Amino acid sequence: MSPVTTAAPPLPADLEALMRQLKMPHARALAPELIATARAQRWEPAEVIKALFTEETAGRARSMLATRRKAAGFPTGKTFDAWDPAASSIPAPTQQALRTLEWITRRENLVVCGPSGTGKTFFLEALGQQAVEAGMRVAWFRLEDLGALIRAHRTDDSVTKAVTRILRAELVVIDDIGLLPVATDAAEGLYRVVDAAYEKRSVAISSNLHPAGFDELMPKTLATATVDRLLHHAHVCQTSGDSIRLTQALAGKGVTQLN
């Protein structure tokens, strides 16, 4: 015969009202069960208070983390839990140094450039996720997103305000530069973000081209001004090798890639 589980009695109405007024949802959810346990095990009153406050603090931290993660707009949710350092062409000491996030606190930039499929986006997203877990705010954009932002805010001359809102984040990531020619609006958006963030926030980009070649994608004047600000106080990582995605896909089908 299965044991019967007795539900903990609800909180007194006045106590629940007080906890609602104090905005303690996490402690309030735990309180009925915790009070029943405390009564059965004869806890000291201070232990009960400590347990409730501990739960509320942890709950708020979880909620804030979820809020920061959602606001960042990460594309896939990849973290370093799924990252294989040995599979990346970025030197292991460089990976380790970047994962300390000290470059963000120093307001330095990061450029990861190289062929498609060599882990650029994965590495940046994992760094962004780690920054969020460390309590930082992150904003993730594709280059075309910046172009759309410029077009949307040019009509009422609010582009500067929009860029200022972006820079509430300690780290701004701009992904996937270099696959296609850059539209004028996107080039302007990239310049405006990099210029406004200069020595105030960190910008990280992934690109198929080294920034020295950006004048092949966008107007030379904008490219020169953007790269000048981007590469000052910047870490540049160049990836190489075959596409990790292609290699994994071929391996899954039992196909050996020929060099």
Short mmCIF file of all heavy atoms in Angstrom, two decimals, residues 1 10 22 27 42 53 58-59 64 84 122 130 133 155 169 187 202:
data_model
loop_
_atom_site.label_atom_id
_atom_site.label_comp_id
_atom_site.label_asym_id
_atom_site.label_seq_id
_atom_site.Cartn_x
_atom_site.Cartn_y
_atom_site.Cartn_z
N MET A 1 0.85 -1.19 0.00
CA MET A 1 0.00 0.00 0.00
C MET A 1 0.89 1.25 0.00
O MET A 1 1.85 1.34 0.76
CB MET A 1 -0.90 -0.01 1.25
CG MET A 1 -1.91 1.13 1.29
SD MET A 1 -3.03 0.92 2.69
CE MET A 1 -4.05 2.37 2.47
N PRO A 10 -1.79 25.42 4.47
CA PRO A 10 -1.49 26.71 3.85
C PRO A 10 -1.03 27.73 4.89
O PRO A 10 -1.27 27.58 6.09
CB PRO A 10 -2.82 27.11 3.22
CG PRO A 10 -3.86 26.38 4.02
CD PRO A 10 -3.22 25.08 4.42
N LEU A 22 5.61 42.23 0.46
CA LEU A 22 7.06 42.36 0.44
C LEU A 22 7.68 41.79 -0.83
O LEU A 22 8.91 41.81 -0.98
CB LEU A 22 7.67 41.66 1.66
CG LEU A 22 7.38 42.32 3.02
CD1 LEU A 22 7.84 41.42 4.15
CD2 LEU A 22 8.09 43.67 3.09
N ALA A 27 10.06 32.59 -1.48
CA ALA A 27 9.93 32.18 -0.08
C ALA A 27 8.49 31.80 0.22
O ALA A 27 8.22 30.84 0.97
CB ALA A 27 10.39 33.31 0.84
N ARG A 42 11.58 20.61 14.99
CA ARG A 42 11.87 21.54 16.08
C ARG A 42 13.04 22.47 15.78
O ARG A 42 13.99 22.60 16.54
CB ARG A 42 12.13 20.75 17.37
CG ARG A 42 10.94 19.92 17.81
CD ARG A 42 11.21 19.19 19.11
NE ARG A 42 10.05 18.39 19.51
CZ ARG A 42 10.00 17.64 20.61
NH1 ARG A 42 11.06 17.59 21.42
NH2 ARG A 42 8.92 16.94 20.91
N PHE A 53 14.76 33.27 3.73
CA PHE A 53 15.52 34.32 3.04
C PHE A 53 16.49 33.72 2.02
O PHE A 53 16.71 34.29 0.94
CB PHE A 53 16.29 35.16 4.05
CG PHE A 53 15.44 36.16 4.79
CD1 PHE A 53 14.07 36.27 4.54
CD2 PHE A 53 15.99 37.00 5.74
CE1 PHE A 53 13.28 37.18 5.22
CE2 PHE A 53 15.21 37.93 6.42
CZ PHE A 53 13.85 38.02 6.16
N ALA A 58 17.93 32.97 -3.62
CA ALA A 58 18.26 32.07 -4.73
C ALA A 58 17.22 32.17 -5.84
O ALA A 58 17.56 32.15 -7.03
CB ALA A 58 18.34 30.63 -4.22
N GLY A 59 15.96 32.28 -5.46
CA GLY A 59 14.90 32.40 -6.46
C GLY A 59 15.03 33.67 -7.28
O GLY A 59 14.82 33.67 -8.50
N MET A 64 16.45 36.57 -12.26
CA MET A 64 17.26 37.60 -12.92
C MET A 64 18.11 36.99 -14.02
O MET A 64 18.27 37.58 -15.09
CB MET A 64 18.13 38.32 -11.89
CG MET A 64 17.36 39.20 -10.93
SD MET A 64 18.38 39.88 -9.60
CE MET A 64 19.51 40.91 -10.53
N ASP A 84 33.90 21.83 -27.17
CA ASP A 84 35.09 20.98 -27.12
C ASP A 84 36.31 21.85 -27.42
O ASP A 84 36.56 22.19 -28.58
CB ASP A 84 34.98 19.86 -28.16
CG ASP A 84 36.20 18.94 -28.16
OD1 ASP A 84 37.11 19.14 -27.31
OD2 ASP A 84 36.25 18.02 -29.00
N PHE A 122 29.50 29.72 -32.14
CA PHE A 122 29.39 28.88 -30.95
C PHE A 122 30.24 29.47 -29.83
O PHE A 122 29.77 29.63 -28.68
CB PHE A 122 29.86 27.46 -31.29
CG PHE A 122 29.57 26.42 -30.23
CD1 PHE A 122 29.45 25.09 -30.58
CD2 PHE A 122 29.39 26.74 -28.89
CE1 PHE A 122 29.19 24.12 -29.63
CE2 PHE A 122 29.13 25.79 -27.92
CZ PHE A 122 29.04 24.46 -28.30
N GLN A 130 28.19 32.81 -20.59
CA GLN A 130 28.99 32.86 -19.36
C GLN A 130 28.95 34.26 -18.76
O GLN A 130 28.90 34.42 -17.53
CB GLN A 130 30.44 32.45 -19.67
CG GLN A 130 31.30 32.31 -18.42
CD GLN A 130 32.59 31.55 -18.70
OE1 GLN A 130 32.60 30.56 -19.41
NE2 GLN A 130 33.69 32.05 -18.15
N GLU A 133 25.70 34.61 -16.95
CA GLU A 133 25.75 33.88 -15.69
C GLU A 133 26.58 34.62 -14.65
O GLU A 133 26.37 34.45 -13.44
CB GLU A 133 26.31 32.48 -15.93
CG GLU A 133 25.36 31.58 -16.72
CD GLU A 133 26.03 30.31 -17.21
OE1 GLU A 133 27.20 30.07 -16.84
OE2 GLU A 133 25.38 29.56 -17.97
N THR A 155 13.29 57.28 -39.32
CA THR A 155 12.12 58.09 -39.67
C THR A 155 11.81 59.15 -38.62
O THR A 155 11.36 60.24 -38.95
CB THR A 155 10.88 57.19 -39.86
OG1 THR A 155 10.70 56.38 -38.67
CG2 THR A 155 11.06 56.28 -41.06
N ALA A 169 23.91 47.12 -22.26
CA ALA A 169 24.59 45.84 -22.09
C ALA A 169 26.09 46.05 -21.97
O ALA A 169 26.66 46.92 -22.65
CB ALA A 169 24.29 44.92 -23.27
N ALA A 187 25.77 48.76 -42.52
CA ALA A 187 27.10 49.34 -42.32
C ALA A 187 27.04 50.52 -41.35
O ALA A 187 27.89 50.66 -40.47
CB ALA A 187 27.68 49.79 -43.66
N SER A 202 32.16 46.58 -24.33
CA SER A 202 32.86 45.61 -25.17
C SER A 202 31.98 45.19 -26.33
O SER A 202 30.78 44.96 -26.16
CB SER A 202 33.26 44.38 -24.36
OG SER A 202 34.27 44.69 -23.43
#
